[in-house]
Amino acid sequence: MPIRQLDRAAIRREARELIRTARVSPIKFTLLFLAVSLALSLLDTALTSLTGRIVGVAFVSVSFVSILVGLITQVLDAGYKCYCLGVHRREEMPYESLFDGFTFAGKVIALYIVEGFFVALWSMLFVIPGIIAVYRYSFAIWNLCQDPELGVMEALNRSKRQTIGYKGQLFGLHLSFIGWYLIVFVIVGVYEGVILALMPDSFLGIMLGSLILTVLTGVVDIYLTPYFALSECGFYLRATAPEEPPRQDRSSYTPEF
């Protein structure tokens, strides 16, 4: 497939338009996604704080549940990507679409593990090869969400082929959101420098602090999450779309008799 220079401004503009015009509001859908993620995050925080206070079988059980929470989060993220793909196809994606990832949860989890293993191997060489590997396999989850019948290795191998010539462009798209992430960075800095210092060093203090941080960053995430995801989805669809045949110049067309 020939390499094309993708218009980042047009991709982001389309994402903003979809946020306004999607049949099921990306803002409201993201609120559901963030609410479920918050519940899982609070559960994970609670379990993590407990692991330092318990031993034996209870420790193993809590650790297992914490891992399970992380895997469920990955499956929900796949459901969110399915929603983004549907929105780009101008389909009506109901709120239940968030849980579409559970229909192929085994593949999502396997992809998460295998991709993490490959990225870790490349990262052992140096930081840069690890970052390149992240972008090399970045289309794999989109491939799987677009076609759940794909195998895990096929989704990864397709991503390797599809991202040839596009890794730098995708990095540029991600970099264009740096202003938004600086806002989140400032919020986290204020939280750690001011709010966290006021929280009591107890289980309730840890839970309350985690809730406050999630709410503060959620104010930005409600808009940033669909904006970023729809932009990344638009990039993926453009990069993997077949090249359109050149239009025939009708002004120079001479009919044959």
Side-chain angles (χ1 to χ4, degrees):
M1 184 181 296
I3 308 303
R4 291 160 287 184
Q5 189 65 35
L6 304 183
D7 188 342
R8 293 195 299 269
I11 290 172
R12 293 183 57 167
R13 188 164 54 249
E14 181 186 30
R16 293 193 297 270
E17 180 66 21
L18 288 172
I19 289 175
R20 292 192 299 269
T21 62
R23 297 169 70 181
V24 174
S25 168
I27 300 295
K28 294 179 180 178
F29 194 93
T30 301
L31 276 171
L32 173 63
F33 176 56
L34 293 178
V36 176
S37 299
L38 172 60
L40 292 172
S41 176
L42 290 176
L43 176 60
D44 187 46
T45 300
L47 293 173
T48 301
S49 65
L50 287 174
T51 53
R53 307 178 187 186
I54 56 179
V55 293
V57 176
F59 176 84
V60 175
S61 300
V62 169
S63 299
F64 172 78
V65 174
S66 183
I67 293 171
L68 183 61
V69 167
L71 295 178
I72 291 174
T73 301
Q74 292 298 318
V75 177
L76 286 172
D77 183 68
Y80 194 87
K81 285 180 167 57
C82 290
Y83 165 80
C84 291
L85 286 165
V87 168
H88 268 279
R89 292 192 294 262
R90 305 309 193 266
E91 298 173 357
E92 182 177 2
M93 301 296 291
Y95 294 106
E96 307 88 78
S97 303
L98 179 60
F99 307 100
D100 283 356
F102 286 95
T103 60
F104 53 102
K107 290 184 178 181
V108 173
I109 293 171
L111 177 64
Y112 171 70
I113 294 172
V114 174
E115 182 179 344
F117 176 73
F118 286 159
V119 171
L121 285 180
W122 282 104
S123 298
M124 292 174 65
L125 299 177
F126 199 62
V127 176
I128 301 301
I131 294 174
I132 293 174
V134 169
Y135 281 90
R136 180 183 299 122
Y137 301 121
S138 59
F139 284 0
I141 185 62
W142 291 106
N143 288 332
L144 194 59
C145 291
Q146 180 124 297
D147 182 8
E149 297 300 318
L150 280 180
V152 170
M153 293 307 301
E154 176 59 23
L156 289 166
N157 289 331
R158 279 193 188 182
S159 181
K160 287 170 63 176
R161 297 191 299 268
Q162 292 164 336
T163 54
I164 294 175
Y166 290 108
K167 290 186 280 290
Q169 294 187 52
L170 181 57
F171 177 75
L173 177 66
H174 289 168
L175 197 62
S176 68
F177 284 87
I178 191 169
W180 286 95
Y181 286 104
L182 284 176
I183 295 174
V184 176
F185 179 77
V186 170
I187 292 174
V188 173
V190 171
Y191 166 79
E192 292 184 347
V194 180
I195 299 176
L196 191 61
L198 300 176
M199 291 292 104
D201 187 16
S202 62
F203 176 76
L204 289 177
I206 293 172
M207 294 299 295
L208 181 58
S210 178
L211 178 61
I212 291 174
L213 176 61
T214 304
V215 170
L216 289 175
T217 56
V219 174
V220 178
D221 286 339
I222 287 172
Y223 184 78
L224 177 59
T225 300
Y227 187 17
F228 182 88
L230 287 170
S231 297
E232 191 174 61
C233 182
F235 184 97
Y236 161 76
L237 292 173
R238 282 172 168 80
T240 57
E243 186 179 23
E244 295 182 0
R247 294 183 179 180
Q248 188 176 23
D249 186 0
R250 305 297 298 179
S251 63
S252 61
Y253 174 70
T254 303
E256 295 182 2
F257 297 96

